[in-house]
Amino acid sequence: MPNRNMQYHKQSRPTGGTARLRPVLDLCIHAIGLFPVFRWIVLGYLGALTANPQEYLTRSSGIWALALLWVALSVTPIRRITGWNGIMRHRRKLGLYAFFYTSLHVIAWALWDRGAVPAAMWADLWQRDFIGVGALAVLFLTPLAITSTHGWMRRLGRWWARLHRLVYPAAVLSVWHFIWMRAGKNDFFEPQLYALVLLVLFAARIAWLLRAKTMNTSSTRMTPRTPSLPLQRKTGHHGS
């Protein structure tokens, strides 16, 4: 059975005007993905990375990881609303950029917060709840980044889509990590904003699934059944 995501990629092959826009769209995606890095470089050059650059970069990388993950999650709802299948080919790049900043966030925590000491990192996973929740989110996201290529899509077949549903618990854990991290400062506005956007994305997905289920049920009921022909008894000629 062909993978549904592979079908989307086949349907989204650019033609005509869409083909001319493809390089522009690719450039925009990469510009969005690399913008935080360029911003950090400029801020560092200007000496504007706050009084604690290490803490700023650690938290900024985490926020950008969340933002790009949310953008990647919004691709499917946009496709369903607009009918633009071509946008699906950009979801993988957005997801990988989200994982890139997630990796930077983890590296910054390991190096600057825990001094790259494995024992200190392990202890932190159990001593601070938001660190443990964040680690679970990273654990869920890692296989998704590894298996994001077309080769893995072919190898895993239908299991690829099932595996990549881990993005939903990973997103919940990520925003949970953010909320608990800000709880120490009693600053919940930004985490709650991210949670609200995630709730809207989940609601859109659930609504679409329910609509698809209803349509499938209706089409099944409306499909006329072919009447079965009565079985004819075979009669034979018997000799006298």
Side-chain angles (χ1 to χ4, degrees), residues 4-209:
R4 184 172 57 182
N5 293 277
M6 292 295 290
Q7 291 176 354
Y8 289 150
H9 283 281
K10 290 178 181 178
Q11 293 172 3
S12 62
R13 288 175 182 173
T15 57
T18 307
R20 289 190 291 271
L21 286 176
R22 179 174 175 176
V24 177
L25 292 173
D26 285 339
L27 182 62
C28 289
I29 295 296
H30 290 300
I32 293 170
L34 293 173
F35 171 76
V37 174
F38 291 128
R39 181 172 177 268
W40 296 336
I41 293 172
V42 171
L43 290 176
Y45 178 76
L46 297 175
L49 287 174
T50 73
N52 190 341
Q54 295 176 347
E55 181 182 4
Y56 174 80
L57 291 173
T58 302
R59 296 192 175 184
S60 181
S61 58
I63 290 173
W64 279 106
L66 264 183
L68 287 167
L69 181 59
W70 267 224
V71 174
L73 286 172
S74 68
V75 168
T76 299
I78 291 173
R79 180 188 66 82
R80 288 170 179 161
I81 292 170
T82 64
W84 177 27
N85 287 330
I87 195 172
M88 295 298 290
R89 66 182 301 274
H90 301 292
R91 183 175 61 178
R92 181 167 67 98
K93 289 192 286 288
L94 289 166
L96 288 174
Y97 273 121
F99 187 74
F100 169 67
Y101 289 103
T102 298
S103 302
L104 291 182
H105 185 59
V106 172
I107 291 170
W109 162 78
L111 291 179
W112 295 331
D113 196 40
R114 299 292 96 186
V117 178
M121 290 186 282
W122 179 254
D124 204 23
L125 293 177
W126 305 99
Q127 292 172 1
R128 293 193 290 178
D129 292 337
F130 75 92
I131 296 294
V133 170
L136 277 177
V138 175
L139 186 64
F140 283 0
L141 290 172
T142 300
L144 308 190
I146 294 172
T147 61
S148 64
T149 63
H150 294 302
W152 275 108
M153 290 173 70
R154 288 190 295 270
R155 291 187 196 102
L156 295 176
R158 68 180 63 184
W159 287 101
W160 187 91
R162 295 175 183 176
L163 174 65
H164 279 248
R165 288 176 190 152
L166 287 175
V167 70
Y168 301 112
V172 172
L173 290 169
S174 297
V175 77
W176 190 3
H177 163 76
F178 194 19
I179 291 171
W180 275 6
M181 189 269 290
R182 288 289 181 89
K185 296 184 177 181
N186 199 28
D187 179 12
F188 294 107
F189 174 74
E190 197 172 4
Q192 287 175 347
L193 184 61
Y194 278 89
L196 178 61
V197 173
L198 183 62
L199 185 62
V200 171
L201 291 172
F202 279 3
R205 176 173 177 79
I206 292 170
W208 183 85
L209 289 173

Side-chain angles (χ1 to χ4, degrees), residues 207-229:
W208 183 85
L209 289 173
L210 291 175
R211 179 173 175 269
K213 184 177 180 180
T214 303
M215 291 177 65
N216 289 336
T217 303
S218 299
S219 62
T220 301
R221 289 176 179 175
M222 293 176 64
T223 301
R225 295 184 179 179
T226 304
S228 56
L229 297 175

